[in-house]
Amino acid sequence: MGSNSSRIGDLPKNEYLKKLSGTESISENDPFWNQLLSFSFPAPTSSSELKLLEEATISVCRSLGLWTVFTLGGVGSKAAASPELSSPLANQSLLLLLVLANLTDASDAPNPYRQAIMSFKNTQDSSPFPSSIPHAFQINFNSLYTALCEQQTSDQATLLLYTLLHQNSNIRTYMLARTDMENLVLPILEILYHVEERNSHHVYMALIILLILTEDDGFNRSIHEVILKNITWYSERVLTEISLGSLLILVVIRTIQYNMTRTRDKYLHTNCLAALANMSAQFRSLHQYAAQRIISLFSLLSKKHNKVLEQATQSLRGSLSSNDVPLPDYAQDLNVIEEVIRMMLEIINSCLTNSLHHNPNLVYALLYKRDLFEQFRTHPSFQDIMQNIDLVISFFSSRLLQAGAELSVERVLEIIKQGVVALPKDRLKKFPELKFKYVEEEQPEEFFIPYVWSLVYNSAVGLYWNPQDIQLFTMDSD
């Protein structure tokens, strides 16, 4: 049979490529599809040849389709609820890109794919590339941003977002300058909110993305200016109106509380607290529920601290009467919980010293639960950081006492707002600014390479992996 460049088997080439990619429409102006359609396909003479041709075509699609990663199938296709099913070509391309980007560097040359990801620029950026960048290219950042906002339900899209934010300063600068950051932040918060349904790696990536974003003071200010209406996926309480900043605080605190009772992952704790700490100096107009949750978390930590102390005391008494019973390491548990309590006190203190006048609801919550802080006033680990908190509690408690008993919530808030003006700021002790920066581990490939390949194994559409043929290589023990 002669060659037929317009048909493959019984299907026109156009329809065949749609079938392979899961894309409903192909634009005549689309450069990717035009490139595919320009290939001359010989008509197969048997079912085996058709199968081989299909496999080869899929391979070509994957190779040429890398650019579709940056729109995640969004160009020339309809929006769909399940992007991995509706756009398998984009999903395969994304997985391939993640695999290539996480290849280890050669002894004499860095990974060129990672270099390209680290340096690509916006199509609107006309500045020349440095001569030191050998793998330079440009793409439309607006299209990329829009696609990333829409696709965060998948692990691989979140991993791509993390990779770009962490490694490409052009992307990071562009995203932080957006005036619609809620479109990106809300899907990330929803991942954390449904932590029970997500795998730990997906949760880590979402949390680290937040940590990277909170390193920027402009981001920390702007999120409190974005007002959201009716967050339907937040089920603990009806939130008819809340700032993006207050919602972020609520979700991160919920993640901490979940971790305390379920997974007890110190890494997760550390990153959650670091994100809150980065934001704390810029807290603005905290929602009353967000302020309550901050103090409620401190209450939970306080109870846990007292419980560990009690267990340590009882265990010590038991060991004195019996030398054969080993003493549990309560000292280590106590040290961990005190580190977390210290961090929470620093976050509250940072807000009070930098933005007290913007947060009457936090002062209200602080006064309502002031008894919680009594035991820490003279504790050697917290005495210094308690000075400002104690001063604020004492100052406003005195003003409420002068105002009389049976005060309404509105009247208390009014007294707080008036008192903020009268509080002598010079009496508040200055502490170093709370700032934490995300840094990858020394050998990040130990985490990322298995993670990427697990995504390939679990979500590469149409690729079969025989579990019996998969070999896991353990790290050298020496």
Side-chain angles (χ1 to χ4, degrees):
M1 267 178 104
S3 66
N4 182 348
S5 62
S6 63
R7 301 185 67 84
I8 300 178
D10 295 328
L11 287 174
K13 188 191 300 184
N14 215 33
E15 295 301 316
Y16 185 76
L17 293 178
K18 288 182 190 177
K19 176 176 177 288
L20 285 179
S21 68
T23 302
E24 292 298 322
S25 60
I26 297 178
S27 168
E28 292 181 1
N29 298 321
D30 190 320
F32 169 66
W33 292 113
N34 284 337
Q35 191 167 7
L36 277 179
L37 290 168
S38 69
F39 279 87
S40 177
F41 292 94
T45 57
S46 65
S47 59
S48 59
E49 283 188 17
L50 181 61
K51 180 65 176 174
L52 287 172
L53 181 58
E54 178 174 316
E55 291 173 355
T57 307
I58 291 175
S59 177
V60 172
C61 286
R62 288 180 192 142
S63 300
L64 294 178
L66 274 178
W67 78 276
T68 65
V69 168
F70 298 112
T71 58
L72 300 185
V75 174
S77 64
K78 297 178 182 178
S82 179
E84 293 174 15
L85 294 178
S86 64
S87 302
L89 174 62
N91 183 59
Q92 306 290 60
S93 300
L94 174 50
L95 291 170
L96 176 57
L97 179 62
L98 291 172
V99 168
L100 295 174
N102 284 279
L103 294 174
T104 53
D105 295 332
S107 57
D108 56 345
N111 178 351
Y113 303 103
R114 187 182 297 122
Q115 279 190 314
I117 285 177
M118 292 173 64
S119 58
F120 72 82
K121 297 193 303 185
N122 196 352
T123 49
Q124 297 180 352
D125 186 349
S126 58
S127 61
F129 281 97
S131 57
S132 58
I133 300 179
H135 307 289
F137 68 96
Q138 292 176 282
I139 63 171
N140 187 308
F141 277 16
N142 183 61
S143 297
L144 172 59
Y145 178 81
T146 301
L148 286 170
C149 290
E150 294 172 351
Q151 305 296 330
Q152 289 307 304
T153 52
S154 75
D155 279 58
Q156 46 267 45
T158 304
L159 181 54
L160 176 64
L161 174 58
Y162 158 78
T163 303
L164 297 178
L165 273 175
H166 177 56
Q167 298 186 6
N168 190 315
S169 60
N170 300 322
I171 280 286
R172 187 164 59 252
T173 301
Y174 175 85
M175 288 188 176
L176 288 169
R178 296 282 304 204
T179 57
D180 59 349
M181 276 299 289
E182 68 273 16
N183 292 337
L184 185 68
V185 175
L186 281 173
I188 298 299
L189 293 183
E190 203 167 347
I191 293 169
L192 293 176
Y193 186 78
H194 296 294
V195 59
E196 304 95 335
E197 304 167 15
R198 303 292 181 183
N199 68 71
S200 60
H201 287 8
H202 199 184
V203 172
Y204 284 154
M205 290 298 98
L207 185 54
I208 293 169
I209 286 167
L210 285 186
L211 179 54
I212 292 172
L213 294 174
T214 61
E215 292 172 12
D216 183 75
D217 284 342
F219 171 83
N220 295 331
R221 284 190 297 271
S222 65
I223 55 175
H224 293 288
E225 298 168 0
V226 178
I227 304 302
L228 308 169
K229 306 279 188 180
N230 299 315
I231 307 301
T232 55
W233 50 262
Y234 192 95
S235 59
E236 272 88 343
R237 178 167 172 157
V238 176
L239 299 175
T240 54
E241 186 172 292
I242 190 171
S243 71
L244 180 60
S246 288
L247 181 64
L248 195 158
I249 293 167
L250 284 175
V251 173
V252 171
I253 286 176
R254 185 181 184 276
T255 306
I256 293 173
Q257 291 180 321
Y258 173 83
N259 188 47
M260 286 176 64
T261 56
R262 304 285 185 86
T263 54
R264 300 178 133 194
D265 186 331
K266 186 178 179 182
Y267 181 81
L268 201 66
H269 256 30
T270 301
N271 285 286
C272 283
L273 290 167
L276 289 177
N278 283 346
M279 296 169 59
S280 59
Q282 308 291 338
F283 284 171
R284 294 288 188 276
S285 303
L286 290 183
H287 191 280
Q288 61 180 24
Y289 186 52
Q292 290 170 16
R293 298 308 293 162
I294 291 172
I295 304 304
S296 294
L297 175 57
F298 185 81
S299 175
L300 185 65
L301 292 167
S302 177
K303 290 175 183 176
K304 191 172 181 64
H305 179 264
N306 293 340
K307 183 178 180 180
V308 173
L309 266 180
E310 184 182 347
Q311 289 173 333
T313 303
Q314 292 175 352
S315 182
L316 182 60
R317 286 172 183 164
S319 67
L320 292 176
S321 59
S322 175
N323 294 328
D324 298 330
V325 179
L327 184 67
D329 192 5
Y330 286 112
Q332 184 177 357
D333 290 345
L334 200 59
N335 183 56
V336 171
I337 194 69
E338 287 187 353
E339 282 182 7
V340 178
I341 287 175
R342 170 83 190 187
M343 180 69 83
M344 282 303 301
L345 288 172
E346 288 179 341
I347 289 167
I348 295 170
N349 175 72
S350 174
C351 178
L352 296 179
T353 54
N354 291 283
S355 54
L356 176 65
H357 55 295
H358 289 296
N359 294 291
N361 284 327
L362 182 62
V363 177
Y364 183 98
L366 202 61
L367 294 172
Y368 189 73
K369 293 286 188 178
R370 54 185 174 270
D371 292 345
L372 280 175
F373 299 87
E374 281 293 326
Q375 63 177 305
F376 301 107
R377 290 176 63 189
T378 56
H379 194 293
S381 297
F382 314 115
Q383 208 168 9
D384 60 333
I385 205 72
M386 275 299 302
Q387 290 180 32
N388 289 338
I389 298 172
D390 194 34
L391 172 63
V392 170
I393 290 175
S394 300
F395 177 82
F396 286 99
S397 295
S398 175
R399 293 182 74 90
L400 291 176
L401 194 60
Q402 292 172 16
E406 302 299 327
L407 299 173
S408 65
V409 173
E410 292 76 15
R411 178 58 182 150
V412 172
L413 284 171
E414 185 183 338
I415 292 169
I416 290 171
K417 291 174 183 177
Q418 293 170 352
V420 164
V421 181
L423 178 67
K425 304 297 188 295
D426 56 351
R427 290 177 59 189
L428 294 173
K429 181 182 176 182
K430 292 293 183 184
F431 285 85
E433 185 181 10
L434 285 181
K435 273 298 172 186
F436 293 87
K437 187 176 178 62
Y438 170 71
V439 179
E440 277 189 346
E441 300 289 337
E442 280 190 27
Q443 294 179 305
E445 64 275 6
E446 292 181 9
F447 173 85
F448 286 103
I449 291 178
Y451 180 29
V452 170
W453 279 105
S454 71
L455 294 179
V456 172
Y457 175 75
N458 289 311
S459 58
V461 180
L463 288 180
Y464 172 70
W465 303 85
N466 187 341
Q468 296 179 347
D469 291 337
I470 296 175
Q471 298 183 41
L472 299 178
F473 296 90
T474 56
M475 301 297 293
D476 293 335
S477 57
D478 54 349

